[in-house]
């Protein structure tokens, strides 16, 4: 089971804070540092000092880390033109020596689009499908050849399809709860399917849908990696757990129900339940980015107990 650190910087974080978390991620033996792609905080709080851009952040971290994978859950398809995104991700992959992964979704948070003047199209899913075809198609185009695409939303003619990533194939993540279109899209384009903030039971159903869609598309269902994103809150005792829960505005019992929370042994046991239904990777949503002792505890007493 891979454990990855997943951050939500729109809630309030500087690049230096994210760098400290990424370096801790690397030093403590976690597999990857991922971040959300948002420009506006959600819920209560002031969001200070303001947003950071996902791919600018990852470009910086690409030069300041050496081992961990770097990526997004999920890049918003509304924020970037697919040709530009393909260039950005390929460049960051080169800067990292081939450690980048792209999670790509539709974009959903209308308020942040209004706040920063970003168009929020009504039909987003068909755009996402074209974006996935364009981005992966540009990367896969052989050197010396050109890429063309003529769709409903995007039109590319005689693209040199450059630059190329450092990796032969950048892993692509597709995720979500949709019962029909999402599994079909994952089956067609994804190396990994991720379901965010779902129970073991709901995850098992969705993984099954994706496996079925993959097999219908002519792929082995085991060709994809299946993963979960879950909020994490671990304490050595109830007092430490309650303190960490309060720091992120949550209750310990609610976190136990809806995430990975409790003592290290409780969290290990719950991760085991996700492993039983096919999850091979967990993105640990870390909401208090100043609490690096939390990462150390998870590394030493949770990660160390996992197969």
């Amino acid at each position: 089971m891979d454990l990855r650190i997943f951050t939500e910087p729109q809630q309030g974080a500087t690049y230096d804070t994210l760098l400290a978390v990424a370096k801790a991620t690397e030093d403590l033996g976690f597999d990857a540092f991922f971040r959300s792609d948002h420009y506006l905080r959600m819920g209560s709080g002031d969001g200070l000092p303001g947003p950071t851009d996902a791919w600018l952040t990852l470009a910086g971290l690409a030069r300041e880390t050496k081992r961990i994978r770097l990526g997004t859950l999920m890049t918003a398809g509304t924020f970037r033109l697919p040709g530009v995104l393909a260039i950005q991700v390929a460049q960051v992959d080169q800067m990292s020596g081939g450690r980048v992964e792209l999670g790509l979704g539709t974009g959903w948070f209308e308020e942040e689009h209004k706040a920063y003047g970003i168009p929020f199209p009504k039909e987003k899913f068909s755009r996402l499908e074209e974006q996935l075809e364009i981005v992966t198609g540009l990367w896969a185009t052989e050197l010396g050849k050109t890429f063309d695409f003529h769709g409903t939303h995007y039109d590319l003619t005689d693209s040199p399809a450059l630059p190329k990533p450092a990796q032969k194939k950048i892993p692509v993540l597709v995720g979500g709860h949709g019962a029909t279109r999402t599994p079909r899209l994952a089956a067609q384009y994804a190396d990994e399917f991720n379901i965010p903030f779902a129970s073991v039971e709901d995850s098992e159903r969705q993984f099954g849908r994706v496996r079925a869609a993959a097999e219908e598309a002519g792929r082995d269902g085991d060709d994809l990696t299946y993963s979960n994103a879950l909020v994490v809150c671990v304490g050595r005792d109830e007092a430490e757990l309650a303190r960490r829960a309060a720091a992120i505005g949550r209750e310990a019992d609610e976190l136990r129900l809806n995430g990975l929370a409790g003592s290290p042994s409780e969290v290990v046991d719950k991760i085991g339940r996700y492993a039983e239904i096919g999850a091979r990777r967990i993105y640990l949503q870390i909401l208090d980015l100043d609490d690096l002792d939390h990462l150390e505890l998870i590394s030493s007493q949770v990660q160390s107990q996992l197969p």
Side-chain angles (χ1 to χ4, degrees):
M1 176 69 75
D2 293 334
L3 294 187
R4 296 182 158 191
I5 300 304
F6 170 42
T7 62
E8 302 273 9
Q10 75 277 357
Q11 299 304 102
T14 64
Y15 173 76
D16 286 341
T17 298
L18 296 172
L19 175 60
V21 174
K23 286 188 171 181
T25 297
E26 186 157 86
D27 293 342
L28 293 170
F30 294 104
D31 182 60
F33 173 95
F34 271 58
R35 61 157 291 163
S36 60
D37 188 18
H38 288 293
Y39 293 133
L40 193 68
R41 64 116 177 102
M42 300 166 195
S44 60
D46 53 25
L48 293 175
T52 50
D53 181 83
W55 285 101
L56 281 175
T57 297
L58 295 177
L61 297 180
R63 307 302 292 177
E64 300 194 76
T65 59
K66 299 185 182 303
R67 177 189 60 81
I68 51 173
R69 307 289 294 177
L70 301 165
T72 50
L73 281 183
M74 297 284 185
T75 289
T78 49
F79 288 176
R80 299 165 182 87
L81 297 170
V84 174
L85 180 63
I87 292 170
Q88 291 172 321
V89 178
Q91 181 178 354
V92 179
D93 194 53
Q94 291 176 356
M95 293 168 69
S96 71
R99 293 184 284 123
V100 159
E101 304 184 10
L102 171 65
L104 185 58
T106 59
W108 60 270
F109 189 23
E110 186 172 6
E111 286 81 358
E112 68 187 337
H113 294 74
K114 292 178 179 178
Y116 286 97
I118 302 168
F120 190 69
K122 182 178 180 181
E123 181 46 69
K124 293 180 287 297
F125 200 90
S126 61
R127 288 177 180 270
L128 174 62
E129 189 161 9
E130 290 191 10
Q131 290 163 349
L132 284 163
E133 185 171 349
I134 292 166
V135 170
T136 57
L138 287 167
W139 292 336
T141 299
E142 295 179 15
L143 283 173
K145 296 187 177 181
T146 58
F147 176 82
D148 289 82
F149 179 88
H150 307 292
T152 301
H153 307 288
Y154 303 101
D155 200 294
L156 287 76
T157 301
D158 292 334
S159 172
L162 296 172
K164 296 303 182 194
Q167 298 175 84
K168 185 175 182 180
K169 186 180 191 308
I170 290 180
V172 172
L173 292 75
V174 170
H177 296 261
T180 304
R181 294 192 297 176
T182 297
R184 177 182 57 79
L185 212 58
Q188 187 170 359
Y189 294 106
D191 301 282
E192 177 177 336
F193 178 77
N194 177 270
I195 185 166
F197 314 118
S199 67
V200 172
E201 296 76 17
D202 287 345
S203 298
E204 185 173 25
R205 280 191 290 271
Q206 187 70 335
F207 290 167
R209 293 184 187 115
V210 174
R211 288 180 185 278
E215 290 165 5
E216 187 176 340
R219 294 179 69 179
D220 187 331
D222 289 332
D223 187 41
L224 286 89
T225 297
Y226 297 89
S227 64
N228 290 84
L230 295 160
V231 63
V232 66
C233 187
V234 187
R236 295 175 181 83
D237 52 36
E238 286 299 314
E240 187 173 69
L241 177 65
R243 175 178 61 77
R244 287 203 163 106
I248 60 174
R250 306 279 284 270
E251 297 288 338
D253 288 343
E254 177 267 321
L255 288 168
R256 278 189 167 102
L257 179 65
N258 296 311
L260 298 173
S263 66
S265 60
E266 284 181 272
V267 172
V268 169
D269 288 345
K270 192 163 185 182
I271 289 174
R273 292 177 58 200
Y274 283 96
E276 288 172 359
I277 56 99
R280 294 293 173 263
R281 189 169 286 158
I282 302 286
Y283 293 81
L284 303 173
Q285 186 194 43
I286 302 292
L287 296 177
D288 184 353
L289 299 181
D290 294 317
D291 186 1
L292 298 183
D293 289 341
H294 192 200
L295 298 186
E296 194 284 326
L297 175 62
I298 296 168
S299 172
S300 64
Q301 297 194 32
V302 175
Q303 182 170 241
S304 63
Q305 297 186 56
L306 298 175

